[in-house]
Amino acid sequence: GEYPPGSAFKIVTGLAALELGKVTPEEKIFDSGSHWLVPEKGNAEGKALGWINFKEALTKSDNVYFYEMGNRLGVDNIEKFSRMFGLGAHTGIKLPGESDGLVASRQYKRRVYNDDWYLAETFDAAIGQGFQLATPLQMASVMSQIANGGKRYRPYLVSSIVSYDGQEVQNFGPEEMGRLTVNPRNMQLVREALREVATASEVFRNFPISIAGKTGTAENSHGQDHGWFVAYAPYDNPKIVIAVIVEQGSFGSMSAVPIARKIIEAALGLNKPA
């Protein structure tokens, strides 16, 4: 399945903006509810958050702030960092029929639509909308790279193949496919913002461990929007990465987050009676 990644993609845009010096963690940008260059591009329900810095913008998933990051980066840099994360390509899992998603680019629009690129499309790309498409497995990979410091591994399903007489024929383990080379301070800032996203969620209130996560709502021309949540846990010593998408689930905070909580509880044994 290929879906617009929605606000979960702000992880990519945000890290690119920090890494390329397009914004500092301290700089505050004024959110009036819509972007001054393309006024029709604004926040959900016209909300205006006023002066906000990077961490606040990622935590609150502010569209106007990330439209401005897209404006400063340009679509070419967004494309570059998307591909550094492995988006727009197969993860390499050994299953038939894997989709490669789509990274928004000038070349794609010229090839498919024979048309020029517009600033409004850069804004869409910066928040994971428009031409952007990703699979849940790709978004799990993005989150794992944030969790582990930038290493991108090939996903695998089988640890070993054993013959009928108990002899191991072949074994499988982590295989590194690429690496993000970014400033550790920028990576840590993204992590801290993602932790605050989860902390602010009512679903994870009083949760016994700290986690990091990002919700997303992906536009869907065929019905209600899709709901996303990508996360890793525990925050301090990650053991599991999760990507949940609920087709036509509307806001990810309402549809996908409760499912992710149950998965984390089961995977880490948090739902067992004391």
Side-chain angles (χ1 to χ4, degrees), residues 14 42 51 99 111 115 132 152 160 186 188 200:
W51 292 102
S99 301
R111 184 178 74 251
D115 199 1
Q132 305 279 41
R152 175 163 49 88
S160 66
N186 293 334
Q188 184 59 25

Side-chain angles (χ1 to χ4, degrees), residues 163-179:
S163 68
Y164 69 94
D165 58 356
Q167 298 298 311
E168 187 174 71
V169 177
Q170 191 174 0
N171 63 59
F172 304 89
E175 179 184 350
E176 191 172 321
M177 304 292 287
R179 187 174 297 200

Side-chain angles (χ1 to χ4, degrees), residues 2 82-93 98-103 133-135 137-139 141 152 155 177:
E2 297 173 308
S82 299
R83 298 195 187 282
M84 285 168 60
F85 270 98
L87 295 173
H90 294 150
T91 66
I93 192 170
E98 183 185 8
S99 301
D100 56 4
L102 176 64
V103 171
L133 293 173
T135 68
L137 188 58
Q138 286 175 329
M139 293 310 295
S141 176
R152 175 163 49 88
M177 304 292 287

Side-chain angles (χ1 to χ4, degrees), residues 226-264:
H226 305 311
W228 277 101
F229 187 60
V230 292
Y232 66 84
Y235 175 78
D236 295 318
N237 184 24
K239 301 289 187 186
I240 182 173
V241 165
I242 298 167
V244 177
I245 184 165
V246 180
E247 292 184 341
Q248 301 192 52
S250 192
F251 293 108
S253 58
M254 295 187 295
S255 58
V257 172
I259 295 170
R261 174 177 171 139
K262 290 183 179 294
I263 294 171
I264 294 170

Side-chain angles (χ1 to χ4, degrees), residues 36-191:
W36 50 96
L37 293 178
V38 187
E40 63 268 26
K41 296 293 183 184
N43 294 322
E45 301 173 345
K47 291 181 181 177
L49 299 184
W51 292 102
I52 54 173
N53 62 24
F54 178 88
K55 198 171 179 181
E56 292 167 327
L58 187 55
T59 299
K60 297 177 180 177
S61 201
D62 185 72
N63 283 351
V64 172
Y65 183 98
F66 283 93
Y67 288 146
E68 178 57 16
M69 294 304 100
N71 180 43
R72 296 182 184 187
L73 282 164
V75 68
D76 297 338
N77 280 323
I78 296 173
E79 178 190 6
K80 175 185 173 183
F81 269 77
S82 299
R83 298 195 187 282
M84 285 168 60
F85 270 98
L87 295 173
H90 294 150
T91 66
I93 192 170
K94 293 180 180 179
L95 289 174
E98 183 185 8
S99 301
D100 56 4
L102 176 64
V103 171
S105 68
R106 300 176 192 274
Q107 294 81 1
Y108 169 79
K109 190 181 180 193
R110 176 59 65 187
R111 184 178 74 251
V112 175
Y113 297 97
N114 192 30
D115 199 1
D116 294 331
W117 188 266
Y118 299 108
L119 179 61
E121 292 166 329
T122 300
F123 283 13
D124 288 338
I127 66 164
Q129 302 286 168
F131 298 121
Q132 305 279 41
L133 293 173
T135 68
L137 188 58
Q138 286 175 329
M139 293 310 295
S141 176
V142 166
M143 203 61 170
S144 74
Q145 291 169 71
I146 296 298
N148 71 30
K151 296 177 183 178
R152 175 163 49 88
Y153 292 103
R154 182 198 300 273
Y156 65 100
L157 299 170
V158 176
S159 60
S160 66
I161 299 173
V162 180
S163 68
Y164 69 94
D165 58 356
Q167 298 298 311
E168 187 174 71
V169 177
Q170 191 174 0
N171 63 59
F172 304 89
E175 179 184 350
E176 191 172 321
M177 304 292 287
R179 187 174 297 200
L180 278 170
T181 306
V182 296
N183 189 318
R185 287 177 297 179
N186 293 334
M187 186 76 86
Q188 184 59 25
L189 187 66
V190 171
R191 288 194 196 103

